[in-house]
Amino acid sequence: MNAAIPLIDSDLVGTTGARHGAMGYLTDTTLCIGCKACEVACKQWNQLPMDNLEWTGYSYDNTKDLSATTWRHVAFIEQLDGTNGHSPGVMPPFQSNWLMMSDICKHCVKAGCLEACPTGAIIRTEFDTVVIQQDICNGCGYCVPSCPFGVPDLSASDHKAHKCTLCYDRMVDDLEPACSKACPTDSIQFGPIDELMQRAERRVAELHQRGVKSAYIYGDRAVGGTQGIDGLNCFFILTAEPEVYNLPAYPELPQDKVGSAWLATLGAAFAIGAVAVAALRGR
Amino acid sequence: MTTRYERTWDNRRKQSKQTPADESANGARSVTDQTRASYYGVPVIHKPHWKWLIIVYFFVGGISGASYVLASIAHLVGGKDAGRIVRAGRYLSLAALLPSPILLILDLGRPERFHHMLYILKLRSTMSVGTWILTIFSGFCGLSALIQAAEDGLLSRIGFANRLLLALPAKAIGAIGSLFGFGMSGYTGILIAATAVPFWAKNYRLMGPLFLTSALSNASAAITLTLSLARGTSHSTLQRLEHLDMLAAIGELTLLIMARRNLGPVIARPLREGSLGNIYRWGVLGVGITAPLALLSLTRLKPHAAPRLLAGISAALTLIGGFLFRYVFVMAGRASADDPQATYEFTRRERPLG
Amino acid sequence: MPGLGARLGRGGATTFQQNLAESDCIVIMGSNMAENHPVGFRFVMQAKQRGATLIHVDPRFTRTSAMSDVHVPLRAGSDVAFLGALVNYVINSERWNSDPFFREYVTHYTNASVIINQDFKDTEELAGVFSGYNPETRQYDFETWQYDGEQDHSTSPSGDRSTNRDQTGPNRDEAKEVQTAEPRGEFVGRLTGQPRTDPSLQDPMCAFQIVKRHFARYTPELVERICGVPQDLFLRVAEALVTNSGRDRTSSFCYAVAWTQHTIGTQMISCCALLQLLLGNIGRPGGGILALRGHATIQGSTDIPTLYNLLPGYLPMPTSVKKHDTLTDYLQVETPELGWWYNTPKYMVSLLKAWYGDAATPENGFAYDLMPKIEADYSFQKMLLMMKDGIIKGLFCMGENPVVGGQNAVLGRQALANLQWLVVRDVFEIETAAFWYDAPEVRKGELRPQDIKTEVFFLPASLTGEKEGSYTNTQRLVQWHDKAVEPRGDCRSESWFMLQLGKRLKELYAGDTSARGRQINTLTWDYPTIGETGEPDLDAVIREINGYTVADKKLVKSFVDLKADGSTACGCWIYSGIMPEEGKNLSKNRRGDEAAALEWGFAWPANRRILYNRASADPQGRPWSERKKWVWWDDTQGEWTGLDVPDFPKTKRPDYQPPEGAKGIDAHPGDAPFIMMADGKGWLYAASGLRDGPLPTHYEPWESPIGNALYPEQPRSPSALFFERPDNVYHELGDPRFPYVITTYRLTEHLTAGGMTRYVPWLAELQPGGFLEISPELAAELDISNGDWVTVMTLRGEAETRAMVTLRLQPLHLGDQIVHQIGMPWHFGYGGLAKGGIANDLSALVQDPNSRIHEGKSFTCNLRKGRAAGHPAGYSTKRPSPELTRQAGEEEGHWVKGDVKGDHGA
Ligand SMILES: Nc1nc2c(c(=O)[nH]1)N[C@H]1C(S)=C(S)[C@@H](COP(=O)(O)OP(=O)(O)OC[C@H]3O[C@@H](n4cnc5c(=O)[nH]c(N)nc54)[C@H](O)[C@@H]3O)O[C@H]1N2
Ligand SMILES: Nc1nc2c(c(=O)[nH]1)N[C@H]1C(S)=C(S)[C@@H](COP(=O)(O)OP(=O)(O)OC[C@H]3O[C@@H](n4cnc5c(=O)[nH]c(N)nc54)[C@H](O)[C@@H]3O)O[C@H]1N2
Ligand code: SF4
Ligand code: SF4
Ligand code: SF4
Ligand code: SF4
Ligand code: SF4
Ligand SMILES: [Mo]
């Protein structure tokens, strides 16, 4: 895997591109203890059923990824094989050698799922979050492959698309979303994006200073938020490459391709038309 | 605050060419081994649910649009001789169109809510645009088919309508409808290209043209097949169609080669490996393109050696190949969505967008 | 928790979890705090954010290790060697010897300078045992361990008649090894006056020198040889501890059951107390020892105990093997002359008044004769054996799942099958209730349901949210919780059940004048009830616990108001003050603040958050440093003050010297912070109270692959309690058939025996099946791949499960020998959604002599690839039946039904 992601534009660092007043999450994986309280709190609040009962052997991760019924998912990556295959006794401070990361819908500043949705079921709320309206969704499933992060999924029981709502129903009542509320170590921090981004920058600087040189923000415009997505309203502090956590390094907004794809198709249509005219021309 | 993130990892992650760990779980493999190449082989993105309904729709929808286009062009420039092509094209277009909305609606998770798509148009949502193209195209397609029916005297019993239809500017309708016909056969490529699925998105500029060309070749083949079966089709008509068939096949082949090269080895893995690879090689390239091309070349060499039969066979092969093309491309997209390496590859580098 | 009790005076956490945030170094050893106390771990993370060093000493790399700066993998059960080496390191370290702080703390606040009986012999002299050991009874006589000079022998174990009395108990032999109530005098010391001391700490028989000599052989090399810990790693821990202790810095320790569940568990804990005393970390903010307790109110259930040998407030249970015949006898034996326990009569009499009301009069010894006297060991393991042997015929099992959680669960199930009746009150039909048709033995056909004569009653219990009540958490903090919803159907709370049981027994025994009848008749049992279902009014219970004056039923302000003349009643003296005024239940307080959060809940005793906090000030009463100030002497007000409730007589001056002949707490000088101890000092050297020695000594676990590198002749604890019998066979040390060390532990995702988690879909899916963890090296040896089925075996039983091959476990190099460790979560069983082989089918009944806790954390086993015959675990790895998945959705009346991840499919 590629060792470093060069910064594309240093001016972009530290801004998610979110609208003012946008709410979201900073998930600081260096504070995550992998307790999965967030996963359970989400299921409890949203009354989501269990996925399945499959023991995976994937470290302590048995739910594997986000799904129609798992809107928070905690990944576990064991990375202990340092010196001669033994776990190193002394480690960089904060989460190390066994990475845990609580994944969630990124509530993209420009969201692939939202742009894809042909029914308008997916909307952007007053909190700048991305929510699927269950009374509109007709289960076309187009949002599913249109999300560069693999978030929404069709439910096998009601056949509609589901994903995190950023607890819209709690936010409108001035309640903190369930998962961050449950997080014991404040690994998940909820708040206005501008504030969170400042906090994230400070935290990354602090981590660098304390020897966690690999820490960075995933989801500002610089990393994991360019190429049209323009930042994530749920961003992360990570200490390894995005791929380690099963995140794409440079995801792109699929709909940005629509224009040029149509142009190319138009060109092809002309060419084909010309060929057809040539071939079918009457003699 | 650092203006530049220096990111060095000492996480001992090795550049690895292994297949996802899951696939070969033999030997004393530890949990860590299983995350060296990817996160336990778990897909990064979710694949679409699309399968048979959509594959069939892509096939018939493409034929419908392209037949309409061919019929219209033949009507415009084909002269008197092209009547059979126009008729066959218009009818075929309608015939292929009819199952399309049914397939699409059945594919919905909530079919009873299909109309939710019709309250809104989103230009950047190709599904939305496609829905409207299909809707509008249906009008043109139906209308043109009715005009054809009227011309064929099938509607003489309802005299008023018959007269009205015959009075309509069929060429103009065909010309405008053709725009939507092109849309019909091309949007599906854009639909799948404008996703996060590496196999499709990597070639986002080629998918529309590819689907369009393939649709043209299929439509042309469908018309050829129909006419080759019908009695009294003139040799020149068939020749024109064969000509078109050949050009389309060459175009398709060119585009496929371009697409394949653009994908690179990792993302193209589904085309290389397993049954899908075989179907692609033997079915799409062999049966669907090379064989018809060979047969058609044969007819060129020996113009009178049972052209009708050869044309028919080559058309049938083209159709089979066209269907397999869609099957392979849909399934390969799903497979590449399931392959974390493909997604990593696809999203690894900063790429300027065109 | 005698480990802390015997050195500090109280068997509870000395500090509170929030205060960990103030620590400069936190050593988590014997616990997996991030996984098992995730909410408390929040404060560890806060400390970390402030720059504290975090160290985790654990055989496995866990979620706690992942957050630590240093992870030290050690061999399970070798903790005393590690801690002992820390003691040795500290005593000889440059910093400890040069910084006057340590000397000042240790000489004033501990018994370092006390001269010990010249007859005392250390294990170093007697090849692994201390003086006073009787190999016949495997017991110690504490006599030679005592302080030199004047002793009071009236409260000595000579009052203990356990060996010379004709037993009439249910099982004569058992009584010989009876664990009597904790002998108070032994615990806190049997002093009558000030002991002889050498403040220069030079006398070879002073406690300090004895400690120093005892640990001299505990070197980094020894740590490597016994624990398998590389020397540099050990030194790093030692260095971190020493640099982060002192006037301006404090370090704390957190432990839980990975220290208690050993045959030398108590000594591990006591060794930690010794170390923390040496480092001057007790009684100070950011210092101390956090005993992380288990179940939500496990602390509460030792305070107001479910233990057979204690009365509420740690008063010893009267027993027939000591001279406890009358109240006067009892009080005489159990009341020390010096220290806080001098007040024992006040608490005992007030308890009797609370229980027997008007029937308790000064004339009849406050009805003391009605109180049952125990005469055998009824601790959990002994109880199982008595059930198996037909001595105990019936069992109430309320909130426990012994056939999964109890050691040697195979024997446990046989024991249940031998009962006449069994009552299980639980929220699900747990394994214990279903054993007669669902146990592995039954599935395998070895036991037939029709042959089991046990009559099983399953009673539904209401859950936390369906009842109000209190929890006493790990830091002695009592917190109230409200009822959220009515219980469903016939579900009832424990208090309802107990009230009803009492009422019905009273009805049955009405008018019965026999001893047994009177015991039931006289009991006060007049709790008012509320609501339709007649739940007892818990405020009335809290009133009784708090205590009141008998005459006018007015609440007392605190235990200071309790009297020994029968004018007050109190259900549990240490909780007194929880309801100082009518209607003011302090456990309902919910006001937090940055320091001690005194208005959040109520912490016993007297709402103190850090115990022995007098030690947070120097001998003159000034804070040791500005950064670490907590409680100090305010000379202008003439009282102790600070951020916490002082754990010291409020107006006792720092320079107070006791007058001749002073008793109780008045006999302590003004610089004696450990008020429960007879001499007011923290005990580096425990002159009595610990049944296996005054100083911690490394012994191997009862089952170990190697011998004892320190004392080859004395490999195992000489005083551990064991039950060698055909249904409880042990592995010899180094038995080649069982070459691996196995340890058992918890996962965040499940709770203990799983009754509350494995049956709940949301939690079951997070850890859907049993597994064990092994290193890639061991996996390679046995040809096991990640995810394979494996079977673990001991002479007690076998368990099939899945293997997780992970670098988080690693082989340990003990000198030339390599020891493989196997880690196995013990949550799983044959019931519920998440199933798996039972770890406790492998473990054995063997105990620590002090706490009677089993050795579940280290024993030996063998492992092979493949499933066990007959798949007794019967656990599924794939999707459950649709009915099961559907449950979650349907029960909540929600839209989603049986949602299964995967292809939607067209
Ligand atoms: N999520 C969750 N939380 C719980 C519980 C639960 O079941 N689930 N149970 C509660 C209860 S009842 C209790 S008592 C507490 C228990 O809390 P803990 O004591 O933390 O629990 P364990 O997981 O049994 O053991 C802790 C660690 O000890 C390690 N260990 C094993 N042997 C040794 C040894 O010899 N020395 C040392 N130093 N470490 C060793 C194990 O590898 C394990 O990581 O947790 C409470 N909290
Ligand atoms: N090998 C090994 N064995 C161990 C341990 C170990 O580390 N290793 N740990 C030991 C420790 S520390 C502990 S604490 C024990 C725990 O072992 P157990 O106490 O046997 O196990 P739990 O599952 O906690 O049992 C509690 C039961 O109470 C039920 N319950 C919950 N609420 C209520 C209620 O309000 N009323 C009633 N009546 N029931 C209720 C739950 O459903 C559950 O079934 O296991 C011990 N066993
Ligand atoms: S992460 Fe995916 S689902 Fe979430 S807002 Fe972005 S595109 Fe939509
Ligand atoms: S599945 Fe629902 S939410 Fe997703 S794109 Fe289709 S209509 Fe929109
Ligand atoms: S914000 Fe709400 S819906 Fe989203 S993951 Fe958290 S709890 Fe679930
Ligand atoms: S609740 Fe917080 S600490 Fe626990 S897994 Fe989720 S993010 Fe991590
Ligand atoms: S389960 Fe309860 S006691 Fe345990 S950490 Fe969570 S809140 Fe605390
Ligand atoms: Mo426990």
Side-chain angles (χ1 to χ4, degrees), chain C residues 307-308 377-387 392 395 397 400-403 405-408 412 723 845 847 851-852 854:
Chain C
L307 302 171
Y308 78 102
D377 175 0
Y378 294 111
S379 68
F380 176 74
Q381 304 198 357
K382 211 53 202 289
M383 198 175 77
L384 282 186
L385 294 171
M386 288 194 223
M387 279 154 53
I392 292 179
L395 179 74
C397 187
E400 188 169 332
N401 194 2
V403 308
Q407 311 306 296
N408 196 342
F723 314 94
L845 304 178
Q847 297 176 335
S851 61
R852 306 242 143 183
H854 57 84

Side-chain angles (χ1 to χ4, degrees), chain A residues 29-36 39-40 43-44 46-71 76 78 80-81 84-98 100 139 153-159 162 183-186 203 206 210, chain C residues 34-35 38-39 41-42 45 48-51 60-63 65-71 73 233 236 745 747-749 761-771 773 777 786-787 802-804 806-808 810-811 813 833 875-880 884-885 888-889 892 894-901 904:
Chain A
T29 64
T30 62
L31 299 178
C32 176
I33 56 172
C35 67
K36 306 185 193 171
E39 251 188 83
V40 179
K43 291 220 167 182
Q44 200 275 335
N46 294 298
Q47 292 293 305
L48 301 169
M50 75 172 174
D51 287 11
N52 54 18
L53 269 185
E54 184 189 350
W55 187 85
T56 59
Y58 299 168
S59 193
Y60 284 181
D61 179 2
N62 288 298
T63 41
K64 293 196 273 191
D65 66 351
L66 296 170
S67 75
T69 50
T70 300
W71 300 350
F76 289 79
E78 300 187 7
L80 289 103
D81 52 344
N84 53 34
H86 291 280
S87 82
V90 182
M91 300 172 283
F94 297 100
Q95 192 193 65
S96 44
N97 297 342
W98 192 6
M100 295 145 207
D153 213 351
L154 290 181
S155 145
S157 53
D158 77 349
H159 309 296
H162 295 275
C183 177
T185 56
D186 290 337
R203 174 73 178 155
E206 181 194 321
R210 289 176 67 175
Chain C
E35 299 198 35
V39 176
F41 199 73
R42 169 190 185 83
M45 292 306 293
K48 203 157 170 45
Q49 305 260 55
R50 295 180 193 179
R60 305 176 304 127
F61 189 98
T62 70
R63 284 177 260 205
S65 321
M67 306 310 296
S68 304
D69 299 287
V70 183
H71 169 243
L233 209 50
R236 211 175 256 271
Y745 49 86
L747 303 165
T748 312
E749 293 85 346
W762 288 331
L763 300 170
E765 70 170 336
L766 299 178
Q767 290 288 6
F771 63 95
E773 298 177 324
E777 290 83 352
N786 191 35
R802 303 281 286 263
M804 186 177 291
T806 166
L807 292 156
R808 294 185 292 100
Q810 51 177 298
H813 299 258
L833 294 171
Y875 102 72
S876 67
T877 50
K878 284 291 171 195
R879 285 173 193 159
L884 288 179
T885 16
E892 310 301 337
H894 200 254
W895 51 264
V896 208
K897 281 189 196 158
D899 215 343
V900 180
K901 216 190 266 188
H904 162 57

